[in-house]
Amino acid sequence: MESIQYINELLWPGIVGRLAIIICFVTALGGCLAFFKASRRDNARWNRISRVYFGIHSASLLGIIGLLLFVMITHRYEYQYAWNHVSDALPMRYIFSAFWEGQEGSFLLWLFWHMMLGGVLLFRNDKWVNVVMAILLAVQCIVVSMLLGIYFTDVAKIGSNPFLLLRETMDAPLFNNPRYTELIEGNGLNPLLQNYWMTIHPPTLFLGFASVTVPFCYALGGLIKRDHLGWLKPVMPWALFSAGILGTGILMGGAWAYEALSFGGYWAWDPVENMSLVPWIVLIAAIHGNLVARKTGYSVRMTYAFYILSFLLILYSTFLTRSGILGDSSAHAFTQMGLEWQLVGFIGIFTFASAWLFFKNYKHIPSPQQEERLPSREFWMFIGSLVLFFSAVLITFTTSIPVYNKLFDLAGNIFNSDFSHLHRTAPIEPIVHYNKYQLWIAVFVALLSATGEYLRYREPSWASWKKKFAINIGVTALLSTGLTVLLSMWIDAQAWQYRILLFCGAFAVIANLNYIITFLRGNIKEGASAIAHLGFGLMIIGILASGLNKQIISSNVFAQTGLLDGIDPRSHIYLIKDRPMYMNGYWVEYVRDSIKGNTREFLVSYKRINEVQDTVERFELRPNVVFNRQNTKLEATNPSTKRYLDKDIFTYVAALPAEQMDAETAKALNDTMKYTRFALIMGDTLRDEDFRIVATSVSIDPVHQEYIHEPGDLAVQTTLIVKDLETGTEHTASPIIFLRESLVYGIPAQVNDLNIRIRLSQEAITAFYPRDDQLPYQSYKMRQGETIKVSEWDIKLNAIDREASHPHYVAQDEDIAVNAVMDIRNGDKSYTARPLFYIRGNTPAHLKTYLPDAGLHIRFENIFPQSEEFEFSIAETEDPLPIPLEMAREVARDDIIVLQAIVFPGINLFWLGACLMMSGLFLAMWRKLKEKQAIQ
């Protein structure tokens, strides 16, 4: 294939992109060394060189991103990345989502945020900037290596280059064609990811991941410079920003799961969710250790360790999600891309370097010999940090079970032994498993976050302070007990463990509110920690309210037992279109559905009633289901939520008829049906003992929500009126059949109340699209505005339209094409015909209009400019064509959905608490920056 001269391949973006990746890697490496030199010697020459390196590195990185976006936006499918992630049909608003859908794109996003953070570091230019930038560029260098795409063998490589050509990644006969680029189409963005959350959640989360690197760099900088206290102050705003933005990214993921996924909640303890949460927990522990270290000199070692661990856990999270190791246990993990050992090396390099620096400096890191006093704030903050770290350890241990099993398998291969008996099994019910342990973590953290605000660093005068402390804690405990009793009337906390947690949540809320009002006198600017802790308490109450009080209202056991196999009537409700069904205080009705692309949206109407059956409220929800790119299989079902101040009503479509969920199932079911043939002439009636069918019209330009016309289609649609003789109800059935690229497709029509399905037979194509040489064409010349008589039809040439269009016409650049617009009448019957005449390459051609109801075929044959005449050929079929139809009886209904509706009381307390937590972190960051500005 290398000797083939490919036509229309755009190679320069790939060539420039590959060169830019090499430059990006080399300048990251050079910049790392230059910044390190500048940090050691602190001279102007190395400062200047290091910044030049960073500037070139940044420009090359932006060039890589710009080139890859250009390849994707212009649909250059000769590039594997564009072919894999975009398509002609992908809306432009999802181009960024498609960019970071792939692993290479997400690495570039990570690199981009490192670059931006590096720019901010250089702008702030504190005395730590050179050593911090040296470590940041060392990280950047290794991340860039993930894009190098250097292959040693088929399985050994360094990085995966995003500018690989499609023909470089697969061996297919297609690439023997020099014009293969004209024959390929992009796969497009995964339908599950075509959501606005995919546009905002990943960049926020990756900014959080990238920002964790900066505290890590400061920590290593402190170890390298052996200034074990000096780095604690400048790192603090960065750590608070990182915790705030990473926490926001995690919350966005929870909101995405709640709003757009169907597992019925905002957190499922999925392994990938866990491994984004764990670094955040350790980072929060590090921040508390940092506060203690700055105020008292205690916990410096712990602060070092936690900042380093938070970054290493980001790398470990990257390995878990990108190695394919979680493929069987998480819906969010990437598939393997052959970089597993490179990721292990990434972790190993920084783990070894961090451990070496830490233990080399261990004895020199300040550690006061005097123990912290029990009543002091630093002691309980130290305990709180350990509790948070213990939480992270528990989550990581269970999440890493697939890793342990892989290690046992690897050891078995090395020692030629079977260690499979040592495999651990992941929890069958992960939510129950994690909640069982994390509940007590939440209890301790809530208590510590409540009482810690009232304690003072070093506690110089506990004897005089303890009375005031006891009064505040006692009053708070008393108020919290009362609030817990009130909340227990609302929240169904029957288990004693939940009541303890509820009390602790209330205690955290009351204590921190009291601190803000009594001690800070409402000065919110000074209350960042109290606001964050108040948010944590509200989160606990919201979690308990929405979790324990969660009520599945989609239930009507009496009316629905046995209606559908495999569906539990205690938690799901079976809806027939246009037939309201009662469920737990609501009348709910499946009104209609619509299809747009590969998404099918359902309109579900709710009517809430009171005890006397009066309507209290009406509203509509629009859950949807998403099919794969080929529209052949159901991929996901997305909920729709009615929001109130005190609750949410969460609704999703749990199931559809089997044939609507999978094309293969539909084909298998259709093959089992027994169809009988019949034919109808327009206006004729087929009579049956239960119904009668009348053919009212036939069209070759179908209109149907499941049919999208493509140029070249030969299509037929008939409209039938089916009357139920028992009820007198009339139904409209409009089956379609069409020929596309030598394949025949059918869209049958179903009358569910009569359990019949009607389809057009394949003979309809040949019947309504006869060969022109078999038709009795007559030639006519007409001027614009002239009317001619053909049998009983008056045909008037109204206009010549230069905006040419025709169902079978595909325009080319140099075409000359026009439509004749003709008005055709016979009594009260009227039609419009638009035959097409065009010249392509000096050769005249035409595309006819066929009017099945009138039996007319009209061709636009020629134009005579001098006489201003137009020539047409018109053929008329003498007898109405019979419409070949087939009908199956005893067909299962296809106008049903299975719905689940869940009420989440108090869920807004969770979101409010979460927002307050993040606000507290950002407020603390702002305060630290203001303090620094005041000092300067």
Side-chain angles (χ1 to χ4, degrees), residues 271-311:
V272 173
E273 294 174 342
N274 295 349
M275 292 316 297
S276 63
L277 177 66
V278 165
W280 183 81
I281 292 174
V282 175
L283 186 61
I284 294 297
I287 289 170
H288 286 80
N290 196 340
L291 288 168
V292 172
R294 277 199 61 206
K295 292 286 187 180
T296 68
Y298 289 105
S299 304
V300 179
R301 290 171 178 168
M302 182 184 76
T303 305
Y304 267 126
F306 283 170
Y307 278 135
I308 291 169
L309 273 174
S310 61
F311 173 73

Side-chain angles (χ1 to χ4, degrees), residues 109-259:
L109 182 61
W110 197 359
L111 289 165
F112 172 80
W113 286 128
H114 276 163
M115 180 201 75
M116 296 298 291
L117 294 169
V120 175
L121 282 163
L122 288 174
F123 177 78
R124 295 187 63 79
N125 197 30
D126 63 24
K127 71 174 186 177
W128 292 89
V129 65
N130 286 327
V131 68
V132 169
M133 286 296 295
I135 300 163
L136 180 66
L137 282 178
V139 176
Q140 195 81 331
C141 183
I142 293 182
V143 179
V144 175
S145 74
M146 297 291 175
L147 304 174
L148 286 174
I150 300 174
Y151 289 76
F152 299 102
T153 66
D154 290 339
V155 293
K157 63 178 181 177
I158 297 176
S160 176
N161 194 300
F163 294 101
L164 288 174
L165 292 169
L166 186 60
R167 57 185 170 87
E168 293 176 320
T169 63
M170 63 173 68
D171 186 13
L174 171 71
F175 302 117
N176 292 323
N177 187 336
R179 294 184 176 273
Y180 80 91
T181 58
E182 300 171 8
L183 306 175
I184 55 177
E185 296 179 354
N187 288 327
L189 179 65
N190 187 324
L192 301 179
L193 303 179
Q194 293 184 28
N195 184 288
Y196 72 94
W197 282 109
M198 182 62 182
T199 306
I200 60 175
H201 165 60
T204 306
L205 190 65
F206 271 90
L207 175 57
F209 286 164
S211 65
V212 173
T213 310
V214 179
F216 167 77
C217 294
Y218 271 101
L220 288 198
L223 292 170
I224 291 170
K225 284 180 168 289
R226 296 189 176 182
D227 184 356
H228 302 300
L229 297 178
W231 67 282
L232 293 170
K233 183 176 181 180
V235 77
M236 196 61 181
W238 285 102
L240 289 164
F241 169 77
S242 182
I245 203 70
L246 180 56
T248 302
I250 294 168
L251 285 171
M252 281 184 172
W256 183 3
Y258 179 69
E259 288 193 10

Side-chain angles (χ1 to χ4, degrees), residues 878-895:
E878 295 181 2
D879 299 316
L881 291 174
I883 305 167
L885 296 160
E886 298 176 343
M887 181 171 60
R889 300 172 184 265
E890 298 180 4
V891 179
R893 303 189 72 102
D894 68 352
D895 61 341

